């Protein structure tokens, strides 16, 4: 036994020595390779091919786009009403209630029977005042499309369902009464757009109580019309088979025109100012820097503007987040979002910060916005942001829902037919100078509302030291006097 033990130990030591020598050689080789390694050259941008829809228009004005995609046995149907926003005035809440009530069965089939049949098919279906969506296996697609058309064109508005949904919305409003983020969001929109603008008005308990079932029916008659409607169907279907089905299901949709309404364009403030809302129960401050913008997807500045916004506050490594969260530890996150489309929207940089650093956070927000307006973004940061956009686009373009949305965007946003084929090339063409130019055009720091909702007794004194004019508002955006601080 003894010789065997000695032999075993010797063999083990020899193996360990050989292993150590091998590891040393591998490590040395790796170091030498790392020293000689050069940055690989980026390859060519992937070529994206997006299937073009076959289109036709019904006599009532409904525009239909069909994309055949036989990769999977599924079909997606998306009905979109591309109506302009409209104000509801003292009955704000009508459109939201309409969204909740459409799709509760139809005049031909009860709500329970409708939902049971959808469950049997394993289909997804949803409705709103702006359209409908359905997704199912292709073998059930005919019946599912029929149900979607029935639910959208023959809604069964009942007093029971109306009362139920209205009660839910009222409870939701009460729950948000003391919510600082909800108050901040409401006041931001009221001040940025004005109470009489579709984007500035808000639902309150008072306006919701004014809404009746007759208002829901009138809203549906006025705005759920085929004039600006688009039906996109994509999946394992044949154009020649689908076209007559669509004509049968949607051809009877009555042709009507929606009311034509216009609103004064909102304007930014003439100078940087703080708009403060005193919320005594707040444990932190909601800080938002806001400008109104009218950025269309067809604008030459579209990609530079969205990339500039992403660099400012679009992800974890953005200017705002690295400053307020990582450097100072004042918040869980800071962000910036720019709206884009056919109508006026807003650019908003925002964060929830500790009350004691509210004034300091304002200083850092302004600093980072000025930075992206005056300093060139580094080539590395710009390249990383571009790569992220391209990667997300390449992933999405594989999804039927995305292809349907792209086809719709080309129509509704008046985009070039090759907009998405050139998407990657257009992003790659954005330069450092483009980013700075877009930032100076849209990030109007000298005309910015700094909207703050927080505990006045904790933060107003610090804000007054910034030498920025302060105006005071209540939680509904009405001007008030400076609160009495205790």
């Amino acid at each position: 036994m003894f010789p065997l033990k000695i032999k075993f130990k010797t063999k083990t030591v020899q193996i360990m020595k050989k292993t150590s020598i091998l590891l040393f050689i591998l490590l040395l080789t790796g170091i030498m390779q790392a020293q000689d390694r050069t940055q690989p050259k980026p390859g060519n941008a992937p070529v994206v091919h997006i299937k073009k829809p076959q289109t036709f228009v019904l006599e009532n004005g409904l525009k239909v786009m069909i994309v055949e995609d036989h990769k999977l046995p599924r079909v997606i149907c998306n009905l979109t009403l591309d109506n302009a926003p409209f104000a509801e005035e003292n009955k704000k809440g009508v459109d939201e209630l309409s969204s909740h009530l459409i799709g509760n069965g139809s005049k031909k089939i009860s709500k329970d029977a409708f939902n049971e049949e959808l469950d049997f098919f394993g289909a997804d279906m949803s409705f709103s005042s702006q359209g409908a969506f359905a997704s199912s296996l292709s073998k059930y697609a005919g019946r599912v499309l029929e149900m979607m058309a029935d639910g959208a064109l023959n809604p069964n508005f009942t007093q029971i369902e109306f009362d139920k949904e209205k009660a839910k919305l009222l409870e939701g409003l009460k729950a948000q009464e003391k919510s600082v983020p909800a108050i901040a969001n409401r006041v931001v929109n009221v001040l940025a757009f004005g109470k009489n603008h579709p984007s500035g008005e808000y639902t309150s308990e008072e306006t919701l109580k004014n809404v009746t079932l007759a208002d829901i029916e009138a809203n549906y008659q006025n705005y759920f019309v085929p004039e600006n409607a688009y039906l996109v169907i994509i999946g394992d279907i044949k154009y020649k088979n689908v076209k007559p089905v669509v004509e049968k299901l949607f051809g009877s949709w009555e042709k009507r025109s929606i009311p034509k309404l216009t609103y004064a364009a909102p304007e930014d403030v003439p100078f940087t100012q703080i708009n403060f809302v005193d919320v005594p129960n707040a444990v932190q401050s909601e800080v938002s820097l806001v400008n109104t913008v009218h950025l269309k997807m067809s604008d030459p500045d579209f990609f530079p503007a969205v990339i500039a916004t992403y660099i400012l506050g679009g992800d974890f490594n953005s200017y705002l987040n690295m400053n307020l969260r990582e450097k100072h530890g004042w918040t869980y996150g800071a962000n910036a979002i720019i709206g884009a489309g056919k109508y006026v929207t807003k650019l908003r940089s925002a964060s929830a910060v500790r009350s004691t650093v509210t004034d300091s956070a304002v200083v850092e927000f302004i600093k980072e916005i000025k930075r992206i307006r005056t300093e060139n973004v580094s080539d590395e940061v710009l390249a990383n942001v571009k790569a992220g956009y391209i990667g997300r686009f390449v992933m999405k373009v594989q999804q039927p829902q995305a292809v349907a949305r792209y086809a719709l965007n080309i129509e509704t946003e008046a985009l070039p037919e090759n907009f998405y084929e050139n998407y990657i090339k257009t992003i790659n063409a954005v330069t450092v100078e483009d980013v700075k130019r877009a930032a100076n055009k849209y990030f109007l720091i000298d005309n910015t509302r700094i909207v703050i909702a927080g505990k006045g007794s904790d933060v107003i004194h610090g804000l007054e030291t910034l030498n920025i004019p302060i105006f005071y508002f209540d939680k509904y955006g009405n001007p008030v006097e400076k609160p009495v601080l205790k």
Side-chain angles (χ1 to χ4, degrees):
M1 293 295 293
F2 186 78
L4 289 176
K5 289 184 178 180
I6 294 295
K7 188 175 181 181
F8 177 77
K9 285 185 177 181
T10 303
K11 188 174 182 180
T12 302
V13 171
Q14 290 174 346
I15 291 174
M16 290 177 65
K17 286 182 178 180
K18 289 180 180 180
T19 303
S20 299
I21 293 171
L22 179 60
L23 289 173
F24 175 76
I25 294 173
L26 290 173
L27 179 62
L28 183 62
T29 302
I31 293 173
M32 294 173 64
Q33 288 177 345
Q35 291 174 340
D36 294 337
R37 186 181 297 130
T38 57
Q39 184 69 23
K41 295 181 179 180
N44 295 328
V47 178
V48 175
H49 298 288
I50 300 177
K51 292 185 177 182
K52 301 296 182 183
Q54 300 177 71
T55 64
F56 62 95
V57 181
L58 299 186
E59 291 184 3
N60 56 20
L62 175 65
K63 303 159 190 72
V64 185
M65 294 176 279
I66 299 175
V67 182
E68 294 187 21
D69 185 349
H70 304 287
K71 294 179 182 178
L72 296 173
R74 296 200 67 85
V75 177
I76 290 175
C77 308
N78 191 25
L79 175 66
T80 300
L81 276 60
D82 186 40
N83 295 332
F86 59 92
E88 300 174 73
E89 301 176 350
N90 67 339
K91 293 191 175 184
K92 176 63 176 174
V94 170
D95 203 56
E96 185 176 2
L97 271 173
S98 297
S99 291
H100 290 294
L101 292 171
I102 295 176
N104 287 328
S106 73
K107 293 178 180 177
K108 300 178 182 178
I109 181 172
S110 69
K111 175 183 176 180
D112 291 339
F114 192 91
N115 292 332
E116 286 175 7
E117 189 170 1
L118 284 179
D119 289 342
F120 175 78
F121 294 142
D124 294 324
M125 189 174 296
S126 60
F127 296 86
S128 76
S129 62
Q130 300 299 318
F133 170 85
S135 173
S136 72
L137 292 173
S138 52
K139 63 180 179 180
Y140 303 130
R143 174 55 183 161
V144 169
L145 179 59
E146 182 181 7
M147 293 178 68
M148 188 184 87
D150 186 30
L153 305 187
N154 302 294
N156 188 26
F157 298 131
T158 66
Q159 189 67 47
I160 292 176
E161 291 295 330
F162 170 79
D163 292 339
K164 185 187 303 182
E165 295 298 334
K166 186 175 179 178
K168 289 180 183 177
L169 288 182
L170 286 170
E171 283 300 314
L173 290 176
K174 291 178 182 178
Q176 293 182 355
E177 186 67 23
K178 295 185 178 181
S179 168
V180 183
I183 292 171
N185 290 335
R186 178 170 59 232
V187 175
V188 161
N189 290 332
V190 168
L191 298 181
F193 299 101
K195 284 187 176 181
N196 297 322
H197 191 277
S199 298
E201 63 177 9
Y202 57 87
T203 303
S204 67
E205 186 174 347
E206 180 183 357
T207 64
L208 199 55
K209 286 182 176 179
N210 291 335
V211 179
T212 66
L213 182 60
D215 295 320
I216 303 297
E217 293 170 341
N219 183 73
Y220 178 85
Q221 289 297 318
N222 289 334
Y223 294 99
F224 208 97
V225 300
E227 181 181 43
N228 299 316
Y230 296 83
L231 176 63
V232 183
I233 303 175
I234 181 170
D236 187 25
I237 36 85
K238 294 284 188 181
Y239 174 84
K240 63 179 182 180
N241 297 333
V242 174
K243 186 173 184 291
V245 174
V246 170
E247 291 171 335
K248 177 182 178 181
L249 294 177
F250 292 90
S252 60
W253 193 0
E254 183 183 352
K255 183 177 182 178
R256 300 190 301 274
S257 295
I258 65 170
K260 301 298 188 288
L261 304 171
T262 58
Y263 302 92
E267 297 181 356
D268 287 321
V269 289
F271 52 86
T272 303
Q273 58 185 253
I274 293 173
N275 296 166
F276 188 81
V277 182
D278 184 27
V279 187
N281 66 289
V283 295
Q284 59 184 4
S285 297
E286 295 285 338
V287 181
S288 301
L289 282 73
V290 185
N291 296 109
T292 55
V293 297
H294 194 184
L295 177 64
K296 299 179 181 179
M297 292 183 68
S298 57
D299 288 345
D301 285 329
F302 173 72
F303 285 105
V306 295
I307 288 176
T309 307
Y310 199 85
I311 293 169
L312 176 64
D315 69 355
F316 186 85
N317 294 314
S318 66
Y319 288 1
L320 291 175
N321 199 63
M322 294 303 289
N323 183 328
L324 275 73
R325 174 189 164 112
E326 293 302 292
K327 181 180 178 180
H328 290 105
W330 293 338
T331 178
Y332 288 112
N335 61 74
I337 300 174
I338 191 169
K342 296 196 294 184
Y343 309 103
V344 174
T345 180
K346 64 180 180 288
L347 167 68
R348 182 180 183 181
S349 305
S351 181
V353 301
R354 299 201 314 270
S355 296
T356 54
V357 298
T358 303
D359 53 329
S360 300
V362 170
V363 172
E364 297 304 317
F365 265 106
I366 294 174
K367 171 185 170 182
E368 295 301 342
I369 294 174
K370 286 184 175 179
R371 174 186 173 193
I372 199 169
R373 284 168 51 91
T374 58
E375 297 180 11
N376 287 336
V377 62
S378 71
D379 292 332
E380 180 182 4
V381 169
L382 180 57
N384 289 339
V385 171
K386 287 181 181 179
Y389 264 95
I390 292 171
R392 289 187 292 272
F393 173 71
V394 171
M395 291 292 290
K396 287 181 180 178
V397 82
Q398 308 298 322
Q399 303 170 2
Q401 297 97 317
V403 176
R405 186 171 65 254
Y406 297 157
L408 183 62
N409 286 346
I410 288 173
E411 289 288 331
T412 59
E413 301 287 342
L415 302 176
E417 288 292 327
N418 59 356
F419 180 85
Y420 289 102
E421 279 80 359
N422 291 334
Y423 194 94
I424 295 175
K425 182 171 68 175
T426 308
I427 288 178
N428 280 330
V430 175
T431 66
V432 171
E433 292 74 20
D434 292 333
V435 170
K436 183 189 287 187
R437 186 186 69 254
N440 278 275
K441 182 176 180 180
Y442 295 102
F443 302 177
L444 303 179
I445 190 61
D446 293 329
N447 306 96
T448 293
R449 291 183 184 274
I450 305 173
V451 182
I452 302 174
K455 187 174 181 179
S457 58
D458 288 348
V459 306
I460 288 178
H461 177 71
L463 293 175
E464 289 175 334
T465 66
L466 300 180
N467 294 321
I468 299 174
I470 304 177
F471 301 91
Y472 298 93
F473 298 86
D474 66 15
K475 59 184 179 180
Y476 299 106
N478 300 308
V480 295
E481 295 294 324
K482 177 181 175 180
V484 177
L485 304 181
K486 297 181 181 179

